[in-house]
PDB file of all heavy atoms in Angstrom:
ATOM      1  N   LYS A   3      -1.733  20.017  13.735  1.00  0.00           N
ATOM      2  CA  LYS A   3      -2.113  19.225  12.561  1.00  0.00           C
ATOM      3  C   LYS A   3      -0.896  18.494  11.986  1.00  0.00           C
ATOM      4  O   LYS A   3      -0.468  18.770  10.858  1.00  0.00           O
ATOM      5  CB  LYS A   3      -2.725  20.132  11.487  1.00  0.00           C
ATOM      6  CG  LYS A   3      -4.068  20.746  11.873  1.00  0.00           C
ATOM      7  CD  LYS A   3      -4.609  21.618  10.746  1.00  0.00           C
ATOM      8  CE  LYS A   3      -5.952  22.232  11.128  1.00  0.00           C
ATOM      9  NZ  LYS A   3      -6.478  23.110  10.040  1.00  0.00           N
ATOM     10  N   PRO A   4      -0.338  17.557  12.737  1.00  0.00           N
ATOM     11  CA  PRO A   4       0.822  16.824  12.205  1.00  0.00           C
ATOM     12  C   PRO A   4       0.404  15.908  11.065  1.00  0.00           C
ATOM     13  O   PRO A   4      -0.725  15.412  11.038  1.00  0.00           O
ATOM     14  CB  PRO A   4       1.298  16.013  13.413  1.00  0.00           C
ATOM     15  CG  PRO A   4       0.056  15.783  14.215  1.00  0.00           C
ATOM     16  CD  PRO A   4      -0.768  17.037  14.044  1.00  0.00           C
ATOM     17  N   GLU A   5       1.312  15.698  10.129  1.00  0.00           N
ATOM     18  CA  GLU A   5       1.033  14.746   9.050  1.00  0.00           C
ATOM     19  C   GLU A   5       0.914  13.324   9.594  1.00  0.00           C
ATOM     20  O   GLU A   5       0.122  12.523   9.113  1.00  0.00           O
ATOM     21  CB  GLU A   5       2.139  14.810   7.989  1.00  0.00           C
ATOM     22  CG  GLU A   5       2.040  15.974   7.019  1.00  0.00           C
ATOM     23  CD  GLU A   5       2.415  17.318   7.613  1.00  0.00           C
ATOM     24  OE1 GLU A   5       3.078  17.361   8.673  1.00  0.00           O
ATOM     25  OE2 GLU A   5       2.046  18.348   7.018  1.00  0.00           O
ATOM     26  N   ILE A   6       1.727  13.025  10.605  1.00  0.00           N
ATOM     27  CA  ILE A   6       1.713  11.696  11.217  1.00  0.00           C
ATOM     28  C   ILE A   6       1.685  11.865  12.730  1.00  0.00           C
ATOM     29  O   ILE A   6       2.486  12.618  13.292  1.00  0.00           O
ATOM     30  CB  ILE A   6       2.967  10.879  10.822  1.00  0.00           C
ATOM     31  CG1 ILE A   6       3.102  10.759   9.298  1.00  0.00           C
ATOM     32  CG2 ILE A   6       2.931   9.481  11.460  1.00  0.00           C
ATOM     33  CD1 ILE A   6       4.423  10.177   8.842  1.00  0.00           C
ATOM     34  N   GLN A   7       0.761  11.179  13.391  1.00  0.00           N
ATOM     35  CA  GLN A   7       0.696  11.191  14.857  1.00  0.00           C
ATOM     36  C   GLN A   7       0.729   9.752  15.350  1.00  0.00           C
ATOM     37  O   GLN A   7      -0.106   8.937  14.962  1.00  0.00           O
ATOM     38  CB  GLN A   7      -0.562  11.903  15.361  1.00  0.00           C
ATOM     39  CG  GLN A   7      -0.634  12.006  16.882  1.00  0.00           C
ATOM     40  CD  GLN A   7      -1.709  12.982  17.351  1.00  0.00           C
ATOM     41  OE1 GLN A   7      -2.321  13.684  16.544  1.00  0.00           O
ATOM     42  NE2 GLN A   7      -1.935  13.040  18.636  1.00  0.00           N
ATOM     43  N   ILE A   8       1.704   9.466  16.193  1.00  0.00           N
ATOM     44  CA  ILE A   8       1.881   8.105  16.695  1.00  0.00           C
ATOM     45  C   ILE A   8       1.746   8.108  18.210  1.00  0.00           C
ATOM     46  O   ILE A   8       2.522   8.772  18.908  1.00  0.00           O
ATOM     47  CB  ILE A   8       3.254   7.540  16.282  1.00  0.00           C
ATOM     48  CG1 ILE A   8       3.351   7.434  14.749  1.00  0.00           C
ATOM     49  CG2 ILE A   8       3.501   6.177  16.935  1.00  0.00           C
ATOM     50  CD1 ILE A   8       4.719   7.063  14.244  1.00  0.00           C
ATOM     51  N   LYS A   9       0.771   7.379  18.718  1.00  0.00           N
ATOM     52  CA  LYS A   9       0.604   7.204  20.160  1.00  0.00           C
ATOM     53  C   LYS A   9       1.613   6.145  20.599  1.00  0.00           C
ATOM     54  O   LYS A   9       1.368   4.943  20.458  1.00  0.00           O
ATOM     55  CB  LYS A   9      -0.822   6.745  20.475  1.00  0.00           C
ATOM     56  CG  LYS A   9      -1.900   7.734  20.053  1.00  0.00           C
ATOM     57  CD  LYS A   9      -2.111   8.802  21.096  1.00  0.00           C
ATOM     58  CE  LYS A   9      -3.328   9.669  20.769  1.00  0.00           C
ATOM     59  NZ  LYS A   9      -3.532  10.736  21.756  1.00  0.00           N
ATOM     60  N   ASN A  10       2.750   6.604  21.091  1.00  0.00           N
ATOM     61  CA  ASN A  10       3.848   5.681  21.389  1.00  0.00           C
ATOM     62  C   ASN A  10       3.779   5.202  22.837  1.00  0.00           C
ATOM     63  O   ASN A  10       4.656   5.469  23.654  1.00  0.00           O
ATOM     64  CB  ASN A  10       5.192   6.355  21.099  1.00  0.00           C
ATOM     65  CG  ASN A  10       6.332   5.361  21.088  1.00  0.00           C
ATOM     66  OD1 ASN A  10       6.126   4.181  20.880  1.00  0.00           O
ATOM     67  ND2 ASN A  10       7.542   5.840  21.332  1.00  0.00           N
ATOM     68  N   ASP A  11       2.698   4.494  23.120  1.00  0.00           N
ATOM     69  CA  ASP A  11       2.492   3.940  24.460  1.00  0.00           C
ATOM     70  C   ASP A  11       1.793   2.592  24.287  1.00  0.00           C
ATOM     71  O   ASP A  11       0.654   2.538  23.833  1.00  0.00           O
ATOM     72  CB  ASP A  11       1.639   4.893  25.297  1.00  0.00           C
ATOM     73  CG  ASP A  11       1.374   4.365  26.699  1.00  0.00           C
ATOM     74  OD1 ASP A  11       2.120   3.485  27.144  1.00  0.00           O
ATOM     75  OD2 ASP A  11       0.416   4.839  27.337  1.00  0.00           O
ATOM     76  N   GLY A  12       2.508   1.520  24.569  1.00  0.00           N
ATOM     77  CA  GLY A  12       1.904   0.198  24.420  1.00  0.00           C
ATOM     78  C   GLY A  12       2.059  -0.394  23.033  1.00  0.00           C
ATOM     79  O   GLY A  12       1.439  -1.406  22.712  1.00  0.00           O
ATOM     80  N   ILE A  13       2.865   0.251  22.166  1.00  0.00           N
ATOM     81  CA  ILE A  13       3.152  -0.319  20.849  1.00  0.00           C
ATOM     82  C   ILE A  13       4.666  -0.490  20.707  1.00  0.00           C
ATOM     83  O   ILE A  13       5.438   0.147  21.424  1.00  0.00           O
ATOM     84  CB  ILE A  13       2.605   0.541  19.684  1.00  0.00           C
ATOM     85  CG1 ILE A  13       3.340   1.897  19.609  1.00  0.00           C
ATOM     86  CG2 ILE A  13       1.105   0.745  19.805  1.00  0.00           C
ATOM     87  CD1 ILE A  13       3.037   2.680  18.343  1.00  0.00           C
ATOM     88  N   SER A  14       5.070  -1.338  19.794  1.00  0.00           N
ATOM     89  CA  SER A  14       6.499  -1.580  19.594  1.00  0.00           C
ATOM     90  C   SER A  14       7.111  -0.483  18.727  1.00  0.00           C
ATOM     91  O   SER A  14       6.401   0.207  17.973  1.00  0.00           O
ATOM     92  CB  SER A  14       6.720  -2.941  18.924  1.00  0.00           C
ATOM     93  OG  SER A  14       6.230  -2.910  17.589  1.00  0.00           O
ATOM     94  N   ILE A  15       8.422  -0.330  18.839  1.00  0.00           N
ATOM     95  CA  ILE A  15       9.155   0.612  17.989  1.00  0.00           C
ATOM     96  C   ILE A  15       8.957   0.226  16.524  1.00  0.00           C
ATOM     97  O   ILE A  15       8.793   1.090  15.652  1.00  0.00           O
ATOM     98  CB  ILE A  15      10.655   0.613  18.344  1.00  0.00           C
ATOM     99  CG1 ILE A  15      10.885   1.148  19.765  1.00  0.00           C
ATOM    100  CG2 ILE A  15      11.452   1.438  17.328  1.00  0.00           C
ATOM    101  CD1 ILE A  15      10.474   2.587  19.967  1.00  0.00           C
ATOM    102  N   GLU A  16       8.938  -1.066  16.238  1.00  0.00           N
ATOM    103  CA  GLU A  16       8.785  -1.558  14.868  1.00  0.00           C
ATOM    104  C   GLU A  16       7.434  -1.149  14.282  1.00  0.00           C
ATOM    105  O   GLU A  16       7.342  -0.742  13.116  1.00  0.00           O
ATOM    106  CB  GLU A  16       8.934  -3.081  14.833  1.00  0.00           C
ATOM    107  CG  GLU A  16      10.330  -3.598  15.139  1.00  0.00           C
ATOM    108  CD  GLU A  16      10.711  -3.522  16.614  1.00  0.00           C
ATOM    109  OE1 GLU A  16       9.800  -3.447  17.468  1.00  0.00           O
ATOM    110  OE2 GLU A  16      11.929  -3.529  16.902  1.00  0.00           O
ATOM    111  N   THR A  17       6.383  -1.239  15.104  1.00  0.00           N
ATOM    112  CA  THR A  17       5.042  -0.838  14.646  1.00  0.00           C
ATOM    113  C   THR A  17       4.993   0.658  14.376  1.00  0.00           C
ATOM    114  O   THR A  17       4.442   1.103  13.361  1.00  0.00           O
ATOM    115  CB  THR A  17       3.979  -1.227  15.696  1.00  0.00           C
ATOM    116  OG1 THR A  17       3.983  -2.638  15.870  1.00  0.00           O
ATOM    117  CG2 THR A  17       2.590  -0.775  15.261  1.00  0.00           C
ATOM    118  N   ALA A  18       5.572   1.430  15.289  1.00  0.00           N
ATOM    119  CA  ALA A  18       5.609   2.889  15.108  1.00  0.00           C
ATOM    120  C   ALA A  18       6.350   3.257  13.831  1.00  0.00           C
ATOM    121  O   ALA A  18       5.891   4.102  13.047  1.00  0.00           O
ATOM    122  CB  ALA A  18       6.268   3.548  16.323  1.00  0.00           C
ATOM    123  N   ALA A  19       7.487   2.608  13.604  1.00  0.00           N
ATOM    124  CA  ALA A  19       8.286   2.896  12.405  1.00  0.00           C
ATOM    125  C   ALA A  19       7.528   2.516  11.141  1.00  0.00           C
ATOM    126  O   ALA A  19       7.561   3.242  10.141  1.00  0.00           O
ATOM    127  CB  ALA A  19       9.617   2.146  12.472  1.00  0.00           C
ATOM    128  N   GLN A  20       6.828   1.404  11.180  1.00  0.00           N
ATOM    129  CA  GLN A  20       6.085   0.958  10.003  1.00  0.00           C
ATOM    130  C   GLN A  20       4.976   1.931   9.647  1.00  0.00           C
ATOM    131  O   GLN A  20       4.657   2.120   8.469  1.00  0.00           O
ATOM    132  CB  GLN A  20       5.499  -0.441  10.235  1.00  0.00           C
ATOM    133  CG  GLN A  20       4.909  -1.071   8.978  1.00  0.00           C
ATOM    134  CD  GLN A  20       5.915  -1.227   7.858  1.00  0.00           C
ATOM    135  OE1 GLN A  20       7.008  -1.754   8.066  1.00  0.00           O
ATOM    136  NE2 GLN A  20       5.575  -0.750   6.657  1.00  0.00           N
ATOM    137  N   ASN A  21       4.391   2.598  10.656  1.00  0.00           N
ATOM    138  CA  ASN A  21       3.367   3.618  10.403  1.00  0.00           C
ATOM    139  C   ASN A  21       3.925   4.745   9.539  1.00  0.00           C
ATOM    140  O   ASN A  21       3.239   5.271   8.658  1.00  0.00           O
ATOM    141  CB  ASN A  21       2.832   4.197  11.720  1.00  0.00           C
ATOM    142  CG  ASN A  21       1.938   3.234  12.472  1.00  0.00           C
ATOM    143  OD1 ASN A  21       1.427   2.274  11.896  1.00  0.00           O
ATOM    144  ND2 ASN A  21       1.745   3.473  13.763  1.00  0.00           N
ATOM    145  N   VAL A  22       5.168   5.116   9.810  1.00  0.00           N
ATOM    146  CA  VAL A  22       5.811   6.183   9.035  1.00  0.00           C
ATOM    147  C   VAL A  22       6.087   5.696   7.615  1.00  0.00           C
ATOM    148  O   VAL A  22       5.833   6.414   6.637  1.00  0.00           O
ATOM    149  CB  VAL A  22       7.121   6.648   9.717  1.00  0.00           C
ATOM    150  CG1 VAL A  22       7.808   7.727   8.874  1.00  0.00           C
ATOM    151  CG2 VAL A  22       6.833   7.173  11.119  1.00  0.00           C
ATOM    152  N   ILE A  23       6.599   4.481   7.492  1.00  0.00           N
ATOM    153  CA  ILE A  23       6.870   3.913   6.168  1.00  0.00           C
ATOM    154  C   ILE A  23       5.582   3.833   5.353  1.00  0.00           C
ATOM    155  O   ILE A  23       5.564   4.152   4.152  1.00  0.00           O
ATOM    156  CB  ILE A  23       7.512   2.512   6.301  1.00  0.00           C
ATOM    157  CG1 ILE A  23       8.892   2.604   6.968  1.00  0.00           C
ATOM    158  CG2 ILE A  23       7.606   1.829   4.936  1.00  0.00           C
ATOM    159  CD1 ILE A  23       9.940   3.367   6.185  1.00  0.00           C
ATOM    160  N   ASP A  24       4.487   3.420   5.985  1.00  0.00           N
ATOM    161  CA  ASP A  24       3.195   3.321   5.293  1.00  0.00           C
ATOM    162  C   ASP A  24       2.760   4.683   4.760  1.00  0.00           C
ATOM    163  O   ASP A  24       2.260   4.787   3.625  1.00  0.00           O
ATOM    164  CB  ASP A  24       2.119   2.766   6.234  1.00  0.00           C
ATOM    165  CG  ASP A  24       2.342   1.297   6.568  1.00  0.00           C
ATOM    166  OD1 ASP A  24       3.133   0.641   5.867  1.00  0.00           O
ATOM    167  OD2 ASP A  24       1.727   0.810   7.546  1.00  0.00           O
ATOM    168  N   TYR A  25       2.972   5.732   5.559  1.00  0.00           N
ATOM    169  CA  TYR A  25       2.633   7.093   5.107  1.00  0.00           C
ATOM    170  C   TYR A  25       3.460   7.477   3.881  1.00  0.00           C
ATOM    171  O   TYR A  25       2.930   8.024   2.906  1.00  0.00           O
ATOM    172  CB  TYR A  25       2.868   8.101   6.236  1.00  0.00           C
ATOM    173  CG  TYR A  25       2.595   9.530   5.832  1.00  0.00           C
ATOM    174  CD1 TYR A  25       1.348  10.112   6.013  1.00  0.00           C
ATOM    175  CD2 TYR A  25       3.598  10.315   5.240  1.00  0.00           C
ATOM    176  CE1 TYR A  25       1.093  11.418   5.624  1.00  0.00           C
ATOM    177  CE2 TYR A  25       3.358  11.620   4.844  1.00  0.00           C
ATOM    178  CZ  TYR A  25       2.090  12.162   5.036  1.00  0.00           C
ATOM    179  OH  TYR A  25       1.846  13.472   4.632  1.00  0.00           O
ATOM    180  N   LEU A  26       4.743   7.181   3.918  1.00  0.00           N
ATOM    181  CA  LEU A  26       5.627   7.526   2.799  1.00  0.00           C
ATOM    182  C   LEU A  26       5.230   6.789   1.529  1.00  0.00           C
ATOM    183  O   LEU A  26       5.251   7.352   0.431  1.00  0.00           O
ATOM    184  CB  LEU A  26       7.080   7.217   3.166  1.00  0.00           C
ATOM    185  CG  LEU A  26       7.707   8.054   4.287  1.00  0.00           C
ATOM    186  CD1 LEU A  26       9.110   7.555   4.608  1.00  0.00           C
ATOM    187  CD2 LEU A  26       7.734   9.532   3.921  1.00  0.00           C
ATOM    188  N   LYS A  27       4.824   5.536   1.683  1.00  0.00           N
ATOM    189  CA  LYS A  27       4.387   4.757   0.524  1.00  0.00           C
ATOM    190  C   LYS A  27       3.075   5.284  -0.031  1.00  0.00           C
ATOM    191  O   LYS A  27       2.916   5.471  -1.240  1.00  0.00           O
ATOM    192  CB  LYS A  27       4.245   3.285   0.913  1.00  0.00           C
ATOM    193  CG  LYS A  27       5.556   2.548   1.090  1.00  0.00           C
ATOM    194  CD  LYS A  27       5.315   1.081   1.456  1.00  0.00           C
ATOM    195  CE  LYS A  27       6.607   0.301   1.559  1.00  0.00           C
ATOM    196  NZ  LYS A  27       6.366  -1.108   1.961  1.00  0.00           N
ATOM    197  N   GLU A  28       2.118   5.518   0.868  1.00  0.00           N
ATOM    198  CA  GLU A  28       0.785   5.983   0.443  1.00  0.00           C
ATOM    199  C   GLU A  28       0.845   7.327  -0.269  1.00  0.00           C
ATOM    200  O   GLU A  28       0.050   7.597  -1.173  1.00  0.00           O
ATOM    201  CB  GLU A  28      -0.139   6.088   1.668  1.00  0.00           C
ATOM    202  CG  GLU A  28      -0.569   4.745   2.247  1.00  0.00           C
ATOM    203  CD  GLU A  28      -1.157   4.864   3.638  1.00  0.00           C
ATOM    204  OE1 GLU A  28      -1.438   6.004   4.081  1.00  0.00           O
ATOM    205  OE2 GLU A  28      -1.328   3.811   4.309  1.00  0.00           O
ATOM    206  N   ASN A  29       1.798   8.165   0.138  1.00  0.00           N
ATOM    207  CA  ASN A  29       1.926   9.495  -0.457  1.00  0.00           C
ATOM    208  C   ASN A  29       3.033   9.580  -1.503  1.00  0.00           C
ATOM    209  O   ASN A  29       3.429  10.660  -1.908  1.00  0.00           O
ATOM    210  CB  ASN A  29       2.134  10.533   0.653  1.00  0.00           C
ATOM    211  CG  ASN A  29       0.876  10.698   1.501  1.00  0.00           C
ATOM    212  OD1 ASN A  29      -0.018  11.444   1.149  1.00  0.00           O
ATOM    213  ND2 ASN A  29       0.815   9.969   2.622  1.00  0.00           N
ATOM    214  N   LYS A  30       3.534   8.380  -1.901  1.00  0.00           N
ATOM    215  CA  LYS A  30       4.464   8.253  -3.030  1.00  0.00           C
ATOM    216  C   LYS A  30       5.796   9.009  -2.833  1.00  0.00           C
ATOM    217  O   LYS A  30       6.360   9.519  -3.792  1.00  0.00           O
ATOM    218  CB  LYS A  30       3.779   8.685  -4.331  1.00  0.00           C
ATOM    219  CG  LYS A  30       2.597   7.774  -4.684  1.00  0.00           C
ATOM    220  CD  LYS A  30       1.959   8.162  -5.996  1.00  0.00           C
ATOM    221  CE  LYS A  30       0.963   7.122  -6.461  1.00  0.00           C
ATOM    222  NZ  LYS A  30      -0.065   6.741  -5.444  1.00  0.00           N
ATOM    223  N   TYR A  31       6.262   9.044  -1.595  1.00  0.00           N
ATOM    224  CA  TYR A  31       7.627   9.533  -1.360  1.00  0.00           C
ATOM    225  C   TYR A  31       8.626   8.437  -1.682  1.00  0.00           C
ATOM    226  O   TYR A  31       9.752   8.699  -2.069  1.00  0.00           O
ATOM    227  CB  TYR A  31       7.789   9.994   0.078  1.00  0.00           C
ATOM    228  CG  TYR A  31       7.053  11.277   0.402  1.00  0.00           C
ATOM    229  CD1 TYR A  31       5.767  11.256   0.908  1.00  0.00           C
ATOM    230  CD2 TYR A  31       7.655  12.513   0.189  1.00  0.00           C
ATOM    231  CE1 TYR A  31       5.078  12.428   1.203  1.00  0.00           C
ATOM    232  CE2 TYR A  31       6.990  13.706   0.477  1.00  0.00           C
ATOM    233  CZ  TYR A  31       5.694  13.648   0.967  1.00  0.00           C
ATOM    234  OH  TYR A  31       5.017  14.814   1.244  1.00  0.00           O
TER     235      TYR A  31
END
């Protein structure tokens, strides 16, 4: 049950990183 799961196949590093940033913003970190 990870807080964030990124399928890192066929996506850019930038997209993967932005997913993490979006989580931090949504959860007010």
Side-chain angles (χ1 to χ4, degrees):
K3 293 181 180 179
E5 281 74 18
I6 304 170
Q7 183 167 353
I8 297 172
K9 299 276 188 181
N10 193 23
D11 179 20
I13 66 169
S14 68
I15 295 297
E16 292 75 21
T17 299
Q20 190 59 50
N21 287 341
V22 178
I23 295 296
D24 290 345
Y25 178 92
L26 294 176
K27 286 181 177 178
E28 288 165 11
N29 291 276
K30 296 182 170 52
Y31 289 92

